[in-house]
Structure formats: C-alpha cells, structure tokens
Amino acid sequence: MVRICLAMLFLWSGWNAFSQQDPVLMRIGGKEILRSEFEYSYRKNKATLAPGQATPEKYVESFVNFKLKVAAAEAAGLDTLPVFREKVEAYRNRLIKSYLVDEAATEDAARQIYDKMRTSRLAGQVRVSHIFKYLPQNISGHMLRSEVARMDSIYETLRKNPADEVFDTCVNRFSDEKQTFWVDRLQMPVEFEDIVFGLPVGEVSQPFFTPQGIHIVKVLERKEMPPFEYVKDEITTSRMRRHGIAPEVGAQVEKLKKEYRYTPDKKGMDELLASGHTRRTLFTLADIAYTGNDFARFAAAYPAGVRRQLDAFITKTVLDYENTRLEQKHPDLRCLVRDYREQLLWNEITGKELGGQVVTDDAGLKAYFEKHRSRYQWKERRYKGIVLHGVSKRIVRRARKFLKSLPEEEWKDAIRLTFNAGAQPQILAEQGTFAPGDNAYVDDLVFKGGDAVPMASFPFTVVLGKKVKGPEDYREIKDKLAADYRSYLDNRWIARLRASAKVEINQEVLKTVNNH
C-alpha cells in the first residue's frame, strides 16, 4: 500500500510539474488547449496580423473562431472521409523522411558520391542523340537477331560516313526516339550512362543494350557539374532507388535499436535461417516480442532470400516503431501535422458553409445591398450614362433622342445596330459610371471642369445619363459586395458556433504567453 501511495504521489508530482510548465490556456467545448499550442499558432501568424491585432489578447479571438470551425468540421465527420485522411497521411509521410534517416550521414554519403563523380569522366551533363530501337521483354530470338543485325549495319554505315547529316538522317529514318536530350548522372540506366559519359563530343558509340532496348549514341555537347547544393537531393534519391536501404538509414536503425533495447533471440533466428520458418520469438523491441508469425506475414509480400527478408523485417519493424513515436519525440512535427490537418478541415467546412452560398445567393446579395446601401455611397457624385461621339451634330442628337426611349442595358447594342450597321461607323460610344477625372468629355460637359479636345473622326459629342450618389444596382459592385456579404455570413456563423460551445479562457495564463 505504501508503494502504491508513493507511486501515485510521484505521478501526481510529475503531472503537476508538467502542467505548470505548459498550463491549460482555454477550454473550447470541453476540449483543453495548452499554452504551447496557442503560442505556436500566435508566433506563426503574428507577421500577418494587423498592427492593432498583433497582441496575444487580440489574437485569441481569431484563434477561438478558428478552433470552433475545426470542431464543427469534426462534428460533421469531415475528418473521417478517406480523401481527407489520405491527404493528411501523405503530408505526414513527406515530413517524416528527415526524421527516419541520419541527415548528417545522408549528406556525407551524398558528398562522397558527388566528389567522386566530379573528379571522374562522369561529371556534369551530356546532350545526346541516339538511334534507338525499343525491344519488348517477350521479343523472339529471331526478331532480336534481326534488330541486332540492322543496328550493326547502321553502325557500319556511320563508321564509313561520320558526317553529322548522315547520323541525323539515320535517327529520322530508324529511331524510335528522335529528340536530343540532356543526360545527368544517376538519371538513366547504368548501361546507358557508362557509354555516353565515356564518349568524347562528336563520337558515335557501337550498338549496346539497356533494359529498354538497343542504342547507337552520339554525344553532342557537355556541361560542367552543378554545385553540390543543387544535386544533393537528386543523388540521395537515386541511391535509395538503386540500392534499397542506404547506409545512412542503416546507421539510424542501429541507433534506434539501442534506444529501444533491441534484443535478438538466437534460437528463433537460427531456426528461421535453417528451415525458413519458425514460431519462436525472433527479437524484442521496446519489450515487445516479434515472432516468426509476424515475419511470415512480412515475407509473403517481400520476395527474397530468408537472410535478406529477415534484415528487411528488422529494419521495417524498428522504423515502424519509431514512426509511432515521432510526434512525442519531435514537437515540431506534431505541430506541423496538426496545423495541416486543422487548416484542411477549416477550408472544407468554410467552403461548405460560405463558399457556395455567397456565389449562388443573388437574393441574399440583393437584400444585403438594399439594407446597407448607405455604406456604398461615394464621397462625391459620379455620372452614370453614355458619351456619344458622332460624325455630325445631327447624328449625335438623333442618337441621344433615340436612346432616351430605351433601357440603359440596350444602349450599346442599339448604337451598333442602328447607327454603325454600315461600312462607316457614325457613332463612337463610351458607357459606364464616371468619377471626376475618369473621362475628359464628362468632365467638360457634366462636371464643368475640363476643356476636352474634339475627336478628329467624331468631332461632335453629347452625353446622356444622370448624376448618382452611389451604385443603383448590386451587380455594379458584385465583387466587393460578395466579400462584404461573406464576412456578414461568417460573423453570423461564428455567433452560432459560440452560442453552442462553451469557451473558457484563463486570463492569468494568457498574460504569460511569450513571457514565461
């Protein structure tokens, strides 16, 4: 009993110390948010905040609104959809690669390869042209011999006639690939690279095979090798693709084995290697036993020799276990994945709640405009109408009188069909809503603030329209109105979310943000 009490005391003391280091800042709908999570979000977004909003006390409101929307998305089950889970998993998989390898060893190995390549004939890039014949895997012996004989014949022709135009003609007539291309080391099959990097510029190779087919190659140009920083990732990726588990991954696995107390079971290992199967324990990792049955399930999907299968099984088991603990060991990874997940949920629920509604709700936009029309009044009146430039005074007067009897939206078509239907247009029209300074003719004839010079071809000008204080129809400012309407709907949505979820904020803890 004493031991149990002491254990509980130590457990409570440890939790109390942790809670003091990272106390609960708020509860949203019963879910606790620690100070560290709020601080991470605040620091990440501080640079984008307006000057008056860049304090923790101001930021807390937008943070709560964001969390309420994420909670609404979870309540709607958006986080359970397969496509959502796949996106989050794919994002996490991209991040964890750097945590599952020894980065220092990875860079060192890439540097060694780079230095070796740079000092050899394999450095840089080569631009090549080739006469290429694709050979399918199931090609018959007769067809293979026929293709080899044809390529040998082409090579003899090129050897006797080495002119560039002869090679180009053969490419156009016989090759399945007619374009020139640049070759980097570690990009093409080894057989292809060994040949082309060994050829001087202008020289033609003898026919040779790759897994794709048979080639005769000519090197056209060479480039120097780029700096290490530009090719480091490519070298690392190519090594992994060609050789499987790279040494730097193996080095990380060995460190993890020690960390998680990897212990092989000799009897189980010996029996597996001798007979190819066993039910015994093969090894323990973090006090978890892995048996021959676990190995068998892995081996069924990994065709290889037993020794290689066992090594791969151990490596995968160690890395899989490390994968389950990455968020505990690396808070930065936990924050990145959490932020990506929540942002994805926020985007989805916001699109469902607001996106389609704003775009399609013309009645709502119109009603919002009518209710808030005074917000969209201009500081000074504008002129809404049409400016008519004509070839004669009689024409522009006739046009002006004609348009008075028509709706504004028909004015331009009426001018086009009535006065400009012939080969020589009689009217040039400018229609819109003009502020002072927008149009010299409106300034002159309406605002009396200009002295417009008549147009050479259309020297007579009249105007038709009226002065207005603001837009008369919501469609005239639909883009701005849609943004305001969306903000209005968003505020109503947030009010509903806040009414349905209890939000508690510890003001004393809030005062310690970035100050502890």
Side-chain angles (χ1 to χ4, degrees), residues 153-220:
S153 175
I154 293 171
Y155 176 71
E156 283 301 314
T157 299
L158 294 172
R159 191 173 63 82
K160 295 175 182 177
N161 301 279
D164 291 342
E165 55 270 20
V166 177
F167 188 89
D168 294 341
T169 300
C170 290
V171 169
N172 290 328
R173 288 187 59 189
F174 303 115
S175 182
D176 291 341
E177 166 63 62
K178 303 185 188 302
Q179 301 297 318
T180 66
F181 55 95
W182 286 97
V183 180
D184 293 301
R185 191 62 179 170
L186 304 176
Q187 191 180 61
M188 296 289 286
V190 175
E191 301 89 344
F192 192 91
E193 292 178 358
D194 286 344
I195 294 293
V196 300
F197 279 97
L199 288 174
V201 173
E203 189 167 323
V204 175
S205 75
Q206 294 185 20
F208 65 94
F209 289 98
T210 69
Q212 286 73 40
I214 186 168
H215 314 252
I216 298 173
V217 178
K218 183 176 185 177
V219 174
L220 306 176

Side-chain angles (χ1 to χ4, degrees), residues 81-309:
L81 298 177
V83 65
F84 171 82
R85 292 186 171 184
E86 289 169 6
K87 286 181 179 179
V88 175
E89 187 65 21
Y91 177 75
R92 184 180 182 276
N93 286 339
R94 290 197 299 271
L95 293 179
I96 65 174
K97 290 178 182 179
S98 62
Y99 295 92
L100 295 179
V101 298
D102 187 326
E103 292 188 356
T106 300
E107 181 158 341
D108 183 62
R111 172 70 73 176
Q112 291 180 28
I113 293 175
Y114 176 82
D115 290 342
K116 184 177 180 180
M117 291 167 58
R118 189 177 58 180
T119 57
S120 73
R121 60 183 175 82
L122 309 178
Q125 298 174 298
V126 291
R127 186 166 69 91
V128 302
S129 176
H130 67 155
I131 302 163
F132 166 61
K133 181 61 181 177
Y134 169 73
L135 300 178
Q137 294 295 317
N138 59 351
I139 188 171
S140 67
H142 172 72
M143 286 299 296
L144 178 60
R145 289 190 294 273
S146 175
E147 292 297 341
V148 169
R150 184 171 71 153
M151 293 294 269
D152 285 341
S153 175
I154 293 171
Y155 176 71
E156 283 301 314
T157 299
L158 294 172
R159 191 173 63 82
K160 295 175 182 177
N161 301 279
D164 291 342
E165 55 270 20
V166 177
F167 188 89
D168 294 341
T169 300
C170 290
V171 169
N172 290 328
R173 288 187 59 189
F174 303 115
S175 182
D176 291 341
E177 166 63 62
K178 303 185 188 302
Q179 301 297 318
T180 66
F181 55 95
W182 286 97
V183 180
D184 293 301
R185 191 62 179 170
L186 304 176
Q187 191 180 61
M188 296 289 286
V190 175
E191 301 89 344
F192 192 91
E193 292 178 358
D194 286 344
I195 294 293
V196 300
F197 279 97
L199 288 174
V201 173
E203 189 167 323
V204 175
S205 75
Q206 294 185 20
F208 65 94
F209 289 98
T210 69
Q212 286 73 40
I214 186 168
H215 314 252
I216 298 173
V217 178
K218 183 176 185 177
V219 174
L220 306 176
E221 188 179 352
R222 283 186 179 272
K223 281 185 180 179
E224 293 298 319
M225 195 165 183
F228 174 69
E229 290 71 22
Y230 289 92
V231 295
K232 176 178 65 176
D233 292 341
E234 183 182 346
I235 291 174
T236 301
T237 302
S238 298
R239 285 185 73 238
M240 294 286 284
R241 185 172 62 245
R242 287 189 175 186
H243 304 297
I245 298 297
E248 55 271 18
V249 178
Q252 179 74 344
V253 168
E254 291 304 314
K255 289 199 295 189
L256 293 173
K257 282 182 178 181
K258 295 176 182 177
E259 181 178 345
Y260 298 131
R261 303 178 304 282
Y262 166 79
T263 307
D265 186 298
K266 188 174 186 306
K267 290 183 179 179
M269 293 276 195
D270 289 345
E271 183 174 313
L272 176 65
L273 293 173
S275 63
H277 57 83
T278 184
R279 293 185 178 180
R280 291 178 177 272
T281 295
L282 296 174
F283 58 87
T284 59
L285 187 74
D287 299 325
I288 302 171
Y290 295 86
T291 68
N293 292 334
D294 299 318
F295 168 80
R297 286 190 290 272
F298 170 82
Y302 189 86
V306 176
R307 175 76 259 180
R308 188 174 175 186
Q309 285 178 325

Side-chain angles (χ1 to χ4, degrees), residues 252-453:
Q252 179 74 344
V253 168
E254 291 304 314
K255 289 199 295 189
L256 293 173
K257 282 182 178 181
K258 295 176 182 177
E259 181 178 345
Y260 298 131
R261 303 178 304 282
Y262 166 79
T263 307
D265 186 298
K266 188 174 186 306
K267 290 183 179 179
M269 293 276 195
D270 289 345
E271 183 174 313
L272 176 65
L273 293 173
S275 63
H277 57 83
T278 184
R279 293 185 178 180
R280 291 178 177 272
T281 295
L282 296 174
F283 58 87
T284 59
L285 187 74
D287 299 325
I288 302 171
Y290 295 86
T291 68
N293 292 334
D294 299 318
F295 168 80
R297 286 190 290 272
F298 170 82
Y302 189 86
V306 176
R307 175 76 259 180
R308 188 174 175 186
Q309 285 178 325
L310 179 58
D311 290 342
F313 175 62
I314 294 170
T315 295
K316 183 177 185 302
T317 302
V318 173
L319 293 178
D320 283 351
Y321 186 76
E322 170 71 352
N323 191 13
T324 65
R325 295 178 53 80
L326 286 176
E327 276 81 356
Q328 298 176 44
K329 295 172 68 174
H330 304 284
D332 57 329
L333 174 66
R334 180 175 67 250
C335 292
L336 287 169
V337 175
R338 181 190 63 218
D339 281 7
Y340 179 81
R341 175 186 179 277
E342 291 186 346
Q343 189 63 53
L344 212 57
L345 288 172
W346 185 91
N347 291 342
E348 288 295 321
I349 195 68
T350 302
K352 288 180 179 295
E353 288 288 333
L354 301 179
Q357 186 174 351
V358 172
V359 173
T360 60
D361 188 9
D362 276 338
L365 281 170
K366 184 177 181 180
Y368 181 82
F369 172 71
E370 295 297 338
K371 185 176 180 180
H372 302 92
R373 182 187 286 267
S374 61
R375 292 184 185 177
Y376 302 101
Q377 298 297 301
W378 298 307
K379 292 182 180 179
E380 55 183 346
R381 289 193 173 194
R382 301 183 183 184
Y383 188 75
K384 183 182 180 185
I386 193 167
V387 183
L388 302 173
H389 308 279
V391 297
S392 70
K393 186 179 293 187
R394 183 178 63 84
I395 288 292
V396 294
R397 286 178 177 176
R398 278 182 54 205
R400 188 175 186 276
K401 183 177 180 180
F402 176 61
L403 295 183
K404 280 185 177 181
S405 62
L406 298 175
E408 292 180 17
E409 58 269 20
E410 296 180 12
W411 283 357
K412 278 197 171 182
D413 281 342
I415 292 293
R416 177 175 57 84
L417 297 172
T418 306
F419 295 91
N420 293 339
Q424 295 296 326
Q426 295 179 299
I427 295 287
L428 179 65
E430 301 173 85
Q431 186 175 358
T433 301
F434 306 96
D438 285 351
N439 186 290
Y441 301 95
V442 174
D443 290 347
D444 186 10
L445 299 175
V446 178
F447 298 121
K448 309 302 181 184
D451 188 15
V453 177

